[in-house]
Amino acid sequence: MEGLSQLVTSRFSFGPGHDTKSDLASLPVPLEFYYELVDVFNNPSLFEAAHFQKYPIDVILQYLKCTHQFYLERRLGEIELSIENLVRNNEQGEHWFEFLHRFFETYKTELTEHILDEEENLFPYIDALLLAEQKKEVHFQFSQKIKLINFLLRHDHQIEDDLRKVVRILGEKSGQFEDSFSFRMLIIQLKNFELDLAIHARMEEEVLMPKALELEKEILNNAKIPLKGGDV
Ligand SMILES: [Fe+2]
Ligand SMILES: [Fe+2]
């Protein structure tokens, strides 16, 4: 089972053009950013938005995009395999594992939809803002723009809450299955994922969005175009 710093490093091997070795020399984010992340994974109470706000938006976006891909292409599949393994070796006839399996199937679908919404709507809009800032010209269609503030307001925590509940229930059952190596591994995987998602959501809400809102305001003011347009 990987340690927390390995967990942070692993995600940076995901994403177009990234080095699959994911060693520290080839990280697509500054080393300082990486070390601050590792500290937060080791001790979530150290998370302070201000620490991360000092980095440019594209660094934050890079981290979030790599993390999305890491979840979709690796993490969700690994957890699913662990659950399937438990269901398959379910000698005690524990129907709870079947329930867990069904829960995770739904969970995976919902989390994937959440991620795709961000990848297809939010991130391209922020990329377009960055391009507009760089070129000092507005290159995106205002008629298609989203209101960032609405995205922030409807950023959903239901997914994290559901996982937290299931991890808690599993923790309560752990005494029953303390002999099962697969069960103990699954608990560790789920707890790490819960932590990972919580940090991810805070990075989106407390770091990315305030910076993107500021940039949007600046660009729209410079362009002297009124802030209006459709919601997401
Ligand atoms: Fe996300
Ligand atoms: Fe999100």
Side-chain angles (χ1 to χ4, degrees):
M1 179 69 59
E2 67 203 341
L4 286 175
S5 58
Q6 177 61 34
L7 175 63
V8 177
T9 318
S10 301
R11 76 204 52 222
F12 292 118
S13 61
F14 287 81
H18 296 159
D19 192 319
T20 49
K21 293 195 300 298
S22 77
D23 53 31
L24 292 188
S26 63
L27 288 178
V29 293
L31 261 186
E32 196 191 346
F33 178 88
Y34 164 80
Y35 286 125
E36 291 208 46
L37 261 183
V38 172
D39 284 346
V40 164
F41 270 74
N42 279 308
N43 184 356
S45 67
L46 292 178
F47 186 99
E48 274 192 48
H51 283 176
F52 292 105
Q53 274 168 355
K54 64 178 183 266
Y55 297 99
I57 293 186
D58 52 358
V59 170
I60 310 298
L61 270 178
Q62 188 73 277
Y63 160 73
L64 293 170
K65 287 176 181 175
C66 288
T67 301
H68 282 170
Q69 253 176 307
F70 174 64
Y71 293 165
L72 295 180
E73 293 177 23
R74 181 166 148 191
R75 191 45 104 210
L76 287 169
E78 284 174 347
I79 295 175
E80 196 173 24
L81 264 181
S82 299
I83 295 173
E84 282 168 3
N85 199 25
L86 271 178
V87 172
R88 224 183 351 265
N89 301 312
N90 180 11
E91 287 160 12
Q92 299 172 26
E94 179 59 64
H95 62 271
W96 215 87
F97 294 150
E98 305 274 358
F99 162 77
L100 183 61
H101 191 225
R102 282 199 300 278
F103 162 82
F104 198 74
E105 286 302 299
T106 309
Y107 180 83
K108 193 175 147 191
T109 306
E110 286 172 2
L111 182 61
T112 302
E113 281 169 8
H114 180 107
I115 287 174
L116 292 181
D117 185 24
E118 291 172 349
E119 290 281 338
E120 288 166 11
N121 296 300
L122 178 64
F123 291 177
Y125 181 67
I126 297 176
D127 280 334
L129 287 173
L130 286 168
L131 191 67
E133 183 196 36
Q134 197 192 338
K135 303 254 180 188
K136 305 282 176 241
E137 288 169 32
V138 175
H139 280 261
F140 54 93
Q141 292 291 319
F142 280 93
S143 59
Q144 290 172 1
K145 82 179 172 56
I146 62 172
K147 277 185 181 166
L148 286 178
I149 192 68
N150 286 352
F151 205 99
L152 182 59
L153 290 175
R154 69 178 183 78
H155 195 233
D156 191 2
H157 285 268
Q158 190 60 41
I159 297 177
E160 291 156 54
D161 295 345
D162 287 350
L163 184 67
R164 195 169 301 122
K165 270 184 229 152
V166 167
V167 171
R168 202 193 62 230
I169 296 169
L170 278 177
E172 285 164 8
K173 292 199 158 271
S174 59
Q176 259 176 277
F177 305 106
E178 60 191 7
D179 295 340
S180 165
F181 178 75
S182 327
F183 185 82
R184 291 201 308 273
M185 284 299 102
L186 176 66
I187 296 249
I188 293 171
Q189 273 180 323
L190 288 173
K191 281 188 174 164
N192 282 348
F193 193 47
E194 185 190 345
L195 167 75
D196 203 328
L197 279 173
I199 293 169
H200 184 88
R202 292 191 71 179
M203 199 71 89
E204 284 173 346
E205 292 182 4
E206 298 173 35
V207 182
L208 177 72
M209 292 305 288
K211 286 175 78 74
L213 281 164
E214 194 53 43
L215 179 62
E216 183 188 54
K217 198 168 95 191
E218 203 178 289
I219 286 171
L220 296 184
N221 282 346
N222 285 344
K224 305 228 175 338
I225 295 173
L227 182 56
K228 65 178 184 184
D231 300 342
V232 185

